Each structure stands twice: as C-alpha cells, then as structure tokens.
Amino acid sequence: MDTCMKERTRFAPSPTGLLHIGGVRTALYAYFLAKQTGGDFLLRIEDTDQARSVDQGVENIVHTLQRLNIQPDEGVVSKNGHVTEVGEYGPYQQSKRLTVYAQYAQQLLANGHAYRCFCSRERMDQIRKEQQQNKEQPKYDRHCLHASDAEIEAQLTANVPYVIRLHVPEGKSIIHDVIRGDITFDHREMDDQVLMKTDGFPTYHMAVVVDDHLMEITTVIRGEEWLSSTPKHLILYKMFGWQAPRFAHVPLLLNADRSKLSKRQGDVGAEQYLDKGYLAEALVNFIATLGFNPTGDREVYSKQELIDLFDLKKVNKGGAVVNFEKLDWMNKQYMQTMSGEELSRRMHAFGLVLTPDQYRFVDIEKARATTLKDLADHVRALLSLPDYDPTLLVWKKSDAHDAREMLKAAAGYVKAYGDINILAEFELSMKEWIKTEGLQTGNILWPMRIALSGREVSPSPFELVYALGTEETLHRFEVAIRSLEGTR
Ligand code: GLU
C-alpha cells in the first residue's frame, strides 16, 4: 500500500464516444487506489470541448462503468437506469461549472498570472506560418502581454473577443510521477497556454486544475498522453497557491506491432466486449493486468484481490501490448468457476432464459465456450434436437442394425439407472456396464452421441444423458431407433 491516507481519486473522461479499454484501465487504477485506502472514487465529465462531445457520450461512460461493476462513490452516477449526480463537490460535469472557472480566471488576471489576448485568428495564423518557415516551435509571441490598461479597456469596450492566457513564468517544473519518477520541464519550451476561450469556456488545463483542487483529489491518475500538460498544471497550482496532488501517468496500450491501440486494429470499446459476451469480471481482470501484475506468479485475480494488491509503483513504465487471445483464455477461466445458475442468469442478456432443470446444459457446455454468447448458442443447440441425417448414427466400423441394437441396449441401461445425481458416478457405472457386456466403446457411444445431440462434436454422451434427463434421453433414443428402421 502506498499510503495510509484515504485517497480521493477521479476518472475524468470526455464524452467523445465509446469508453476505450485504455480509459477503463485508468478508471480501474483510480478505483482500486480509492477502495484500497477506504477513500472515494469520483466520475467527473470533462465536456468543455463541446465540438468533440457526442450525444449519449455521458450515458455511455456511466453505463459501461456500471456494467463493469465499477460504481463511482461520487460524481456522475447511474441510479435506476438514469444518469444523475451524487456528492457535495458538484456539479461534476464541467459544462455546468463555467462560473467557477470564470471566477478563478479573474483571480489570475488580477494577480498578473494571466492576461487577455485579443489577437485575431488571422494574426495567429500569420505568426504560426512565420515560425514554421523559420523552423521554430509554434508559440504565441506575447503580443498582448504588454498591452496597457487603456489599450485593454478600449478593446473591451469595442467588444473584441479575447482569450485568457497563462503567463508562463521563467524556471522549471518537476513532476514527481509515481510511475515514472521525477521529470523536469524547462518553462522556456512552454507556450502561454490559453486558459479561457473566447466563448467563456475554460480549456482542459484550466478546468482540470480548478476541479482537481476543489474536489480535493489526492492522486491524479491519467494516460501518459497528458504528461506534457502536467507542467502547465503545476504552474497553475503554484499561481493559485494550492498544493498539487500526486500524479501518475499510465502508459499507452499497444497493438502487437507496438503501434498505439486503435479502432483500426479491432474493437477498442469496453462495451463492445461486454456485448460480445465477455464477463465483466474477466474484462476487469484482463484490463487491470495490462502492464501490471500484482504478484507475478499468476494471471487471474478477483476484483477484491486487485484492490488489496494494487500498487501504482508496480505499473510498468513501458507501453502494454494488448493480446485479446489472453482475454479469451481469461474469460474461459472465469466461466469454468461459475455455477450453471449464475451463468444462466448472465445469459439472459443474450436471449436465453433457462429453467433450473436446464442448468445442467450450462454445466456440460461451459468448458467448450469462450464467451457467454457462444455458451448460449451451444446450450440452445442442445435444447431441441436438430434434424440430422440418420446415416450419421452409424459408427464407421459398424452398420445400421448394430447401431439400432446398441441404442436399444443404451436405452435399457439409462432407464434402469433412473435419475442421475452425480455425473461422474453415472459415467463410471455405464462404462463398467459396457465393459462387462463386452461391448465396443465406439460402437455404443457414437450412436448415443448422435442420437442425443444430432452432432458429431458435442459434450460426451454421458454428459448429454445427465443434462437431458431420463425422459428426454429415452425420447431421443426412440427417434433415432425409428429413423434407423429401414436403413442398412
Ligand atoms: N478529459 C481527459 C480525457 O478525456 C482527462 C485527462 C485527465 O484525467 O486529467 O482523457
């Protein structure tokens, strides 16, 4: 454990579309740290870039986290299927906090830490062009920094639109990153960042600092793409006279070829994997252990274990390669340990509703399925017998007459055995009987398999009898025997 202090952490996505797997990993780490220390995990929506926000973006984030069973303690949450807010530090959606940012921007202006910039788009384009030609880093030339009070007044009176820029001081900022250690940034390389846009909306930099401070965030966990923004934030903390939180920048997720994980290589939305029938537990385990392994000796960890064992210092500094075959494997591991009843409940989402006497189908199929969707398909296939070609019933080394005789014998045995309580006992006992009767295993088990499933690939005939029950088993044998009449 990093500290005994109760941590307040946040996940602060922008509602720009699907919740990316990388976003979920960031959210999970923030969640684990809060839970481990008995603190709070917040969901804040960063929607100050209205052009990038999409309809349903907020609902998507909230509901996907809920489906993953990662419930925020505070902020934007889902209650009875509706998106709402809980907590005393709200509103938690930045577009509803514009007056808060305006007030802090005024404070920076008053203290000389920020200045109004009235430069037109044309002028800005011109500067950029010249800098490009001179092979210089594009940067604002501080034209408006030195404007006199009278000049500013005149522009304000004339209603010239303006942005508010941070006056970056000389010096250096050191980020003490929990994952990466100390990183020093020289302010000389920094632009006078826009803090407030002409429309009165804050930029990300302004809003994130004000909110993380006011919401009393103790550790900021976010993707490494934000690392270069952090020095600007440190400057703002200093100018406001606030103590900065701890920072941890989580490395990127990569494709197998080490390019940045993107939509082009396949699905990257967490919701898409839930919809495909991956269990929330497996997905959480998989995503949390991308570039992080708590004990190094295994792969499967429950959520509680991840909470207890989470350690930001153990998160790898390098990008983590995402291998979706591992997710398949992990999902299978989780399915194996779940009861037929539990898996049946989860399969409702895939249109399969079973009665308790049908849970055995799930038990016998779960080892062969990768996802809940597969499992539902496999179980559905066993619930009703498909039309199959009767010649399939005949084992390759045998004939129709023999197949019929074997099925009759099997029916006799199953009837005499009665209800099966323990599958292993039934299997043992029937195998014993096959041996004492001097029957050939393939000769009897093959027609049994086809008669009960209609398929060449299925669970074992013993499992099929166990799941179907005596009555349905005898009925399917009967159908098979009849279909063999007249076949040679
Ligand atoms: N709004 C940023 C995003 O969409 C969050 C950055 C942060 O956590 O500070 O990823």
Side-chain angles (χ1 to χ4, degrees):
M1 202 186 278
D2 275 317
T3 165
C4 300
M5 168 180 87
K6 278 189 182 184
E7 294 267 4
R8 274 174 70 80
T9 61
R10 61 18 170 222
F11 177 45
S14 299
T16 53
L18 286 177
L19 183 50
H20 193 281
I21 289 176
V24 172
R25 187 173 56 151
T26 305
L28 284 174
Y29 291 175
Y31 172 83
F32 295 153
L33 187 61
K35 295 290 115 184
Q36 182 182 81
T37 58
D40 293 317
F41 168 64
L42 282 72
L43 177 64
R44 181 176 72 223
I45 301 294
E46 301 206 328
D47 58 349
T48 56
D49 192 347
Q50 299 274 295
R52 289 181 61 229
S53 298
V54 299
D55 281 354
Q56 303 299 311
V58 178
E59 283 80 358
N60 247 322
I61 292 166
V62 172
H63 291 141
T64 305
L65 285 181
Q66 192 182 36
R67 286 178 70 185
L68 289 167
N69 210 3
I70 307 299
Q71 190 69 6
D73 302 293
E74 199 178 310
V76 182
V77 298
S78 169
K79 256 199 189 144
N80 309 324
H82 294 289
V83 173
T84 172
E85 292 199 351
V86 291
E88 289 160 19
Y89 297 75
Y92 294 89
Q93 196 160 340
Q94 290 185 327
S95 57
K96 298 180 184 157
R97 300 171 60 78
L98 300 185
T99 52
V100 179
Y101 310 122
Q103 179 196 328
Y104 283 99
Q106 286 307 317
Q107 186 181 321
L108 292 175
L109 282 176
N111 295 340
H113 294 311
Y115 60 96
R116 292 186 183 85
C117 170
F118 297 92
C119 288
S120 63
R121 173 148 301 173
E122 291 69 35
R123 179 165 191 278
M124 294 303 295
D125 289 345
Q126 186 57 31
I127 308 174
R128 193 168 310 119
K129 226 194 235 148
E130 283 167 22
Q131 286 168 336
Q132 271 167 357
Q133 273 163 5
N134 300 336
K135 303 226 168 352
E136 287 165 11
Q137 205 184 317
K139 217 168 150 183
Y140 179 57
D141 66 355
R142 292 191 161 168
H143 175 77
C144 290
L145 174 63
H146 309 291
S148 67
D149 288 350
E151 280 168 327
I152 295 171
E153 266 323 304
Q155 307 261 41
L156 288 176
T157 319
N159 274 328
V160 178
Y162 65 89
V163 299
I164 298 178
R165 289 186 181 271
L166 171 69
H167 180 195
V168 174
E170 282 178 17
K172 288 182 168 107
S173 292
I174 305 173
I175 306 172
H176 305 290
D177 189 280
V178 189
I179 299 174
R180 287 146 203 280
D182 287 359
I183 308 158
T184 306
F185 281 84
D186 195 321
H187 294 180
R188 257 179 308 194
E189 289 150 28
M190 283 162 59
D191 199 2
D192 278 356
Q193 182 66 50
V194 173
L195 300 176
M196 299 296 285
K197 299 181 260 187
T198 48
D199 59 3
F201 272 72
T203 56
Y204 157 68
H205 308 285
M206 177 70 181
V208 80
V209 168
V210 168
D211 287 351
D212 284 339
H213 171 72
L214 293 181
M215 295 178 187
E216 297 183 32
I217 300 304
T218 53
T219 302
V220 165
I221 300 175
R222 60 183 168 213
E224 85 176 332
E225 64 272 32
W226 302 105
L227 184 65
S228 60
S229 300
T230 306
K232 297 171 195 167
H233 303 173
L234 289 175
I235 293 172
L236 279 169
Y237 279 103
K238 215 162 165 187
M239 287 173 167
F240 282 123
W242 297 336
Q243 158 141 32
R246 289 199 309 168
F247 290 97
H249 292 89
V250 178
L252 287 178
L253 294 184
L254 307 174
N255 296 303
D257 63 2
R258 302 200 71 82
S259 59
K260 189 176 163 196
L261 189 70
S262 73
K263 262 188 250 173
R264 258 163 288 141
Q265 309 270 336
D267 291 331
V268 291
E271 200 179 6
Q272 292 167 306
Y273 289 90
L274 292 168
D275 290 346
K276 283 186 206 177
Y278 291 91
L279 293 161
E281 291 88 335
L283 203 53
V284 163
N285 187 158
F286 173 70
I287 296 174
T289 53
L290 291 168
F292 166 68
N293 189 298
T295 55
D297 57 355
R298 60 192 158 113
E299 315 257 20
V300 177
Y301 297 91
S302 69
K303 189 164 88 176
Q304 192 54 48
E305 285 177 310
L306 289 166
I307 291 171
D308 295 340
L309 298 168
F310 185 65
D311 184 354
L312 273 174
K313 293 199 182 76
K314 284 192 184 165
V315 174
N316 293 342
K317 286 191 193 66
V321 173
V322 182
N323 170 4
F324 287 107
E325 281 164 25
K326 176 88 146 287
L327 174 60
D328 286 348
W329 173 83
M330 210 168 254
N331 205 56
K332 276 173 153 279
Q333 302 294 309
Y334 274 85
M335 294 214 302
Q336 298 288 3
T337 60
M338 281 188 177
S339 68
E341 181 176 2
E342 181 60 24
L343 287 165
S344 301
R345 199 172 61 72
R346 310 280 185 117
M347 283 190 289
H348 289 181
F350 297 92
L352 185 67
V353 179
L354 299 174
T355 53
D357 60 320
Q358 293 172 322
Y359 293 162
R360 284 183 176 187
F361 288 107
V362 182
D363 291 330
I364 67 166
E365 281 290 1
K366 67 183 181 189
R368 299 192 317 133
T370 303
T371 62
L372 285 171
K373 210 172 182 177
D374 281 350
L375 184 59
D377 289 345
H378 291 176
V379 169
R380 220 176 263 123
L382 291 181
L383 289 178
S384 55
L385 187 63
D387 276 338
Y388 58 89
D389 179 356
T391 59
L392 256 191
L393 288 160
V394 181
W395 194 44
K396 53 184 185 300
K397 295 184 191 161
S398 179
D399 58 29
H401 174 263
D402 207 19
R404 211 165 46 227
E405 290 311 303
M406 287 300 119
L407 284 171
K408 281 183 184 159
Y413 183 80
V414 167
K415 197 168 176 185
Y417 191 92
D419 288 346
I420 302 169
N421 293 319
I422 299 170
L423 170 62
E425 271 178 18
F426 167 69
E427 179 166 349
L428 208 71
S429 141
M430 189 162 183
K431 277 181 174 163
E432 201 53 43
W433 170 77
I434 291 172
K435 214 173 184 180
T436 43
E437 290 293 307
L439 305 175
Q440 275 230 323
T441 321
N443 227 3
I444 182 156
L445 295 185
W446 180 260
M448 272 178 79
R449 173 192 298 277
I450 303 297
L452 298 179
S453 73
R455 288 181 177 78
E456 295 174 72
V457 180
S458 74
S460 79
F462 308 107
E463 290 174 312
L464 290 168
V465 176
Y466 165 77
L468 289 164
T470 314
E471 199 180 319
E472 181 63 16
T473 297
L474 294 177
H475 170 69
R476 292 190 185 189
F477 281 160
E478 202 39 57
V479 172
I481 292 165
R482 243 184 291 124
S483 76
L484 283 167
E485 306 288 345
T487 321
R488 283 157 41 85

